[in-house]
């Protein structure tokens, strides 16, 4: 079979560089071009020396990259991907940014302070949470690749909301992210002596992933779900973990809930429902495409506690993007994604 | 004025060693003796080389330590302090363990699986959250020094609950603790390669600090408060931070709530209500006796988000114990406790 | 082609678990059995939850594992592998421990305080630094897989010593290792609050890798090389980096030395001589089989400074073991080892 | 006694902020003013929230600060302090930068590419390694406060060089520094995801502290000492540790060398020569003014290995500056500097 020709627009950022790392070893893909506006003509191995002698590809002009690609990954700040997407007529696009995630333009305008520039593109796009939107992804031309926080939260909530086990009127979601989530750009908050041995929340109740989370959870529940979402910055490199507090709606034991979760995900390689008594831990999903979920019950308060974690750069960005590509091109869904998390 | 003669039972553990570090530089205290059952005859500087040439005190028999002390700090596993307390007739005792924290023996029995051995001692003891129980502490002989999690949670909740601003029917508390909270004992979960770059909850909804938290919050609210409490292990050395989710009961703005908080704590040196827009961060309380509190509002869900953080070893253990000692002996409350958190 | 059947004796330790992780995704290997004396009957995913649902293999009796394997990896404390090796008649053995590394039994006795139990085995074994002993490895039945420190030091020294560029009379080697080097066993020195934000040397001038280092460097130089070797413990998980101080013997510029290094390793995928001006950094070899080398000159003192780094668990243990297996079985040398170090 | 009025020029950087933290609690000092050119009118607690409500001093114009101070600390990039020093006629100056450290202007010009602007100032200045230059410091008006690397190296080398125990013809010094050494300014090399779990040398054989080190060691030895100095960046916040390799000149045992070290420093509170068998560890000097020294011998190569470590921000900068101030003003040398390193 001919390999898929893949190109990346915005390959100098963390999500883009992780895509390069994954695609370089993907047996069914030829990475044919990479672009990064600020580094044209430079080798990616200059920016990320881990690529030295393994991938010394040079950043090229976006048009050149698009021209030779079957599928284009865009890994850009919000508001920037539409301009490239319009140039990709007839080609498949997987956008790792925020621009194709929200169904309702009004939400996008409210949270991102921008209108859509090319409304027509959004009629061709689907939100691509691989496990849940597989059928739509197969047929779509443009994928809005889910955000890192929403991926952990959606996968952790799906069986409970879909089966009406819990009440979605008001869900508390306390998430923690590694510092790669803040990207490659320098800031006081990511300066090592400031960040190391520190921990704090940020954008409490005001993070831009909130409408995406509520969109997904509402879709699952079949009714409006509202969340109080508070992200925190963890002094580690990678990983996102979300602790979710769901009031029980049905009178079920933890064992019964656990059974529904395991049943729901029994055919999903990348979602692991841990045995009861275990705790989902960032440690065991890092550098892999897995989402680990653990379930706990506060019986005194009839509250289901769901913990879901992923590698924010992998399942939360580049890994899921490749998973979606695999689905779009009819490849094995785990092709090139079988990395096992190192335990140490 | 004559200095207070202080002794420590259980000085080999983390809380005990931190007590030594603080008391060594306390201008009104003579640290006259330290005990640690497993290390009798050894110098504390053997265990903690930071003390070398500065404090080479040798662990002595508990009776010897008690004999020469005016005040005895006990820093022991639960169930172990009563046996020493009975030997301290007429002397003041500050227990850093769990044995004098719960008002109701039934709670103690339920969560710690032990009965009280010496019930009479508990009639002389008070729970010593310095800022809130100052008057009782002044008169008490025995202090149950608050747990680390409860200290952060109580100080963060007090103004809201006392003033009926929030609803305590069901409070979600998501806490994160540095690894020192697990103590000096070795375990797989505190082995460096396992813990570093990891993050997970533990004892979700089942931690032993739960009854202590509910006791304190209920006392503040004047009615039963119930909490879902989930602690997490942070891959840093020190610090506890609690993110609390309170449904609003009164129709107030965040500014109004903030004003009540600042008013409540205006005379409390060690509790800092941060300006609106700032986030409490472990970084800025570590190695100090401060509790930092930041307030946030999710208006979409009428939820007050309170973030409170402390150094778990300092304000969450040894520092507050010394603060309580200062209160008991009529010293300046901040005497020996004026350390400022290093910012890097 | 039929896959190689591989078994691991001592798969519960860090090196063993890393072997499992690599072999699980090796396209030419069937991992047919794993053994760990203390965990017989348990799944490796119990010990290392990252394997859950991906590798739930159960630890079996050593004899069972040996029986069904073509190649047996032993990852055991020193002194323990010979007893298994004698049971592997006619099968290939790759020992990740120290027992087949030293040419001279007297050295082994001096540094490990043990005699050989089965001297005959040592006539069939070769020291397996893949890049340097490739031809011997092809023909050998038993491989003494190099230690982590010696691997970094040997690869960093080879071109300089072999070409007589530097003087080996007395070489200073200052090495730093991540905590995984200390293994899975608990100790005060690897307890998180003790190790985190700490740094110190250990076994200065007395580490057991010293004779192995001198054996290798002397072989390269063709004359006796003596080293002062001081390892340090780095508060990170993985990686070993060695800074070596070689007095120049020939009158050459840094550029000339660099040219010899690049020429020497031009066909070696896993050894990267960095461009002049760059510094070898653990960051860019972690989770990969690469050894990065950077060269620097202190012209004021005619001293060549060589910096070489590897992932101690990968190229320094399991990765090189698999590389050696590939060589022994006539596979592509990089088969299953093409991982690229993540940059963040 | 009237308190010393102290002012700081350049108080927004790390060394300056650490000075503020120490001086705020110094019983014999009034910190009367702080300056930072880029932050005039802002409170230092805005930059470093740990100071909130404890030190909300506002950055003032340098002239104002100088005017009201008895002693002025300058904590500035090289080349910047002379311009302030000339304005401090008759006042004492302690410069934490590099401008008053080198005896020979030619060295300064060579390594810093700058001439002295005010040569006359340098006739009034002395290099202030407290333990070694105590008598000169007492009488000096201007102190060149030692660099962080040189402090650890000088204190570690002094007894050996002064007593002719070792050969200084060519000394290898392998040092490792925490990231605070790189200061508050943002850079790719101090971006958390880049720095965390990384380790590498930098400026091998070319660091600007080299002439300062050689100046000090030569002064001690009474003859020219040459060093190969290679610093490395440690992924921790604080601390500098230097491993020094000295060829033995005298035929002495390690015990004899150790005895000379302990004798030399027996009256020095802040220099601790550890018992033989122990290793100096950053852990036990952090947040304190101590320098810990451990001694080791590679008898096979007649090489003395000296390990010396300090907190780079404390004994390596602000702490030693305060120690020097104490000496200059006839205060107890440890006044305000009795902090004990936390062990966890």
């Amino acid at each position: 079979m001919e390999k898929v020709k893949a190109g990346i627009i915005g390959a100098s950022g963390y999500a883009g560089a992780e895509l390069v790392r994954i695609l370089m070893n993907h047996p069914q893909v030829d990475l044919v071009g990479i672009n990064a506006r600020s580094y044209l003509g430079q080798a990616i191995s200059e920016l990320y020396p881990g690529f030295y002698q393994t991938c010394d590809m040079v950043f090229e002009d976006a048009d050149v990259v698009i021209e030779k690609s079957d599928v284009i990954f865009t890994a850009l700040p919000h508001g920037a991907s539409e301009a490239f997407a319009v140039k990709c007529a007839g080609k498949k696009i997987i956008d790792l940014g925020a621009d194709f995630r929200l169904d309702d333009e009004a939400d996008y305008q409210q949270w991102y302070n921008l209108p859509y520039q090319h409304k027509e593109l959004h009629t061709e796009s689907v939100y691509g949470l691989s496990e849940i939107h597989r059928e739509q992804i197969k047929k779509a031309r443009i994928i809005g690749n889910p955000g890192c926080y929403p991926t952990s939260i959606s996968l952790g909530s799906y069986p409970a909301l879909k089966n009406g086990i819990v009440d979605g009127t008001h869900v508390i979601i306390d998430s923690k992210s590694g510092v790669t989530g803040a990207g490659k750009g320098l800031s006081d908050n990511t300066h090592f002596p400031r960040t190391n041995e520190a921990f704090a929340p940020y954008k409490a109740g005001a993070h831009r992933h909130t409408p995406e989370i509520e969109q997904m959870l509402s879709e699952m529940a079949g009714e409006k779900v509202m969340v109080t979402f508070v992200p925190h910055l963890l002094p580690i490199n990678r990983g996102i973990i979300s602790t979710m507090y769901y009031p029980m709606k049905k009178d079920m034991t933890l064992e019964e809930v656990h059974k529904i979760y395991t049943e729901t995900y029994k055919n999903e390689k990348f979602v692991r429902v841990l045995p009861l008594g275990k705790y989902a831990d960032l440690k065991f999903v890092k550098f892999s495409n897995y989402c680990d979920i653990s379930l706990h019950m506060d019986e005194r308060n009839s509250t289901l506690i769901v913990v879901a974690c992923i590698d924010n750069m992998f399942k939360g960005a580049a890994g899921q993007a490749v998973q979606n590509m695999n689905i779009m091109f009819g490849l094995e869904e785990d092709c090139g994604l079988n990395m096992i998390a190192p335990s140490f």
Side-chain angles (χ1 to χ4, degrees), chain A:
Chain A
M1 195 178 94
E2 208 174 342
K3 290 191 180 184
V4 175
K5 295 189 188 73
I8 305 170
I9 309 296
S12 63
Y14 279 179
E18 188 75 349
L19 262 175
V20 172
R21 200 171 69 91
I22 296 172
L23 293 177
M24 282 296 298
N25 281 328
H26 193 297
Q28 300 296 333
V29 168
D30 267 339
L31 179 62
V32 293
I34 58 175
N35 157 270
R37 201 181 46 175
S38 311
Y39 301 96
L40 292 181
Q42 289 186 45
I44 190 171
S45 54
E46 282 284 314
L47 265 73
Y48 299 104
F51 287 123
Y52 185 59
Q53 291 186 357
T54 304
C55 175
D56 294 308
M57 288 180 79
V58 166
F59 294 114
E60 297 177 289
D61 189 81
D63 291 341
V64 174
V65 172
I66 292 170
E67 172 65 26
K68 54 187 171 183
S69 302
D70 301 325
V71 58
I72 292 98
F73 294 89
T74 46
L76 299 162
H78 70 268
S81 56
E82 282 181 305
F84 294 100
V86 288
K87 297 180 169 185
C88 300
K91 293 169 188 273
K92 295 192 189 291
I93 300 166
I94 300 172
D95 179 40
L96 283 78
D99 296 352
F100 293 97
R101 291 179 187 160
L102 297 180
D103 295 340
D104 187 344
E105 186 180 350
D107 282 341
Y108 185 76
Q109 292 200 19
Q110 181 190 337
W111 289 84
Y112 292 92
N113 296 315
L114 280 177
Y116 287 159
Q117 300 294 325
H118 300 275
K119 290 180 202 290
E120 71 283 6
L121 291 170
H122 299 269
T123 62
E124 294 185 87
S125 72
V126 305
Y127 184 80
L129 190 61
S130 313
E131 282 75 12
I132 298 180
H133 301 129
R134 190 172 283 124
E135 295 310 313
Q136 299 96 300
I137 293 166
K138 282 181 188 169
K139 292 173 259 171
R141 189 171 76 82
I142 304 177
I143 303 293
N145 208 57
C148 46
Y149 286 118
T151 295
S152 66
I153 293 164
S154 297
L155 291 173
S157 301
Y158 180 58
L161 285 173
K162 178 163 171 278
N163 293 287
I165 296 170
V166 294
D167 174 13
T169 312
H170 182 208
V171 188
I172 305 290
I173 303 176
D174 192 291
S175 293
K176 302 88 180 171
S177 171
V179 185
T180 49
K184 181 169 165 284
L186 307 183
S187 73
D188 284 332
N189 282 329
T190 55
H191 190 49
F192 185 88
R194 168 69 186 81
T195 310
N196 185 37
E197 298 288 296
F199 185 82
Y202 66 101
K203 293 186 188 159
H207 193 280
R208 279 171 167 165
H209 282 174
T210 305
E212 183 183 341
I213 294 165
E214 293 188 346
Q215 168 181 301
M216 274 305 296
L217 303 193
S218 299
E219 177 189 318
M220 293 167 178
E223 59 188 16
K224 182 68 185 163
V225 170
M226 295 283 284
V227 304
T228 293
F229 170 58
V230 179
H232 301 69
L233 188 66
L234 263 176
I236 66 175
N237 281 12
R238 285 169 174 247
I240 272 186
I241 188 163
S242 296
T243 309
M244 295 166 262
Y245 300 86
Y246 275 105
M248 288 294 289
K249 195 154 75 180
K250 289 196 177 163
D251 183 23
M252 295 173 72
T253 64
L254 179 57
E255 287 69 22
E256 291 167 326
V257 177
H258 186 259
K259 196 173 166 191
I260 289 174
Y261 267 73
T262 51
E263 189 65 23
T264 302
Y265 288 127
K266 69 180 172 193
N267 295 321
E268 296 297 343
K269 170 170 177 171
F270 292 126
V271 182
R272 301 189 291 198
V273 181
L274 302 188
L276 286 178
K278 304 285 185 188
Y279 286 89
D281 190 321
L282 287 183
K283 191 77 177 191
F284 303 118
V285 296
K286 285 166 72 170
F287 303 108
S288 86
N289 201 47
Y290 290 94
C291 173
D292 278 4
I293 297 172
S294 68
L295 299 171
H296 318 275
M297 187 76 82
D298 177 9
E299 291 172 6
R300 299 164 63 254
N301 293 290
S302 296
T303 297
L304 178 68
I305 303 161
V306 184
V307 184
C309 65
I310 57 171
D311 182 313
N312 58 322
M313 287 288 121
F314 216 108
K315 179 65 176 172
Q320 183 160 228
V322 172
Q323 188 178 357
N324 284 333
M325 181 202 72
N326 288 343
I327 296 172
M328 294 172 96
F329 284 85
L331 303 171
E332 288 295 312
E333 195 165 322
D334 66 348
C335 190
L337 295 172
N338 56 359
M339 296 78 164
I340 302 169
S343 296
F344 40 82

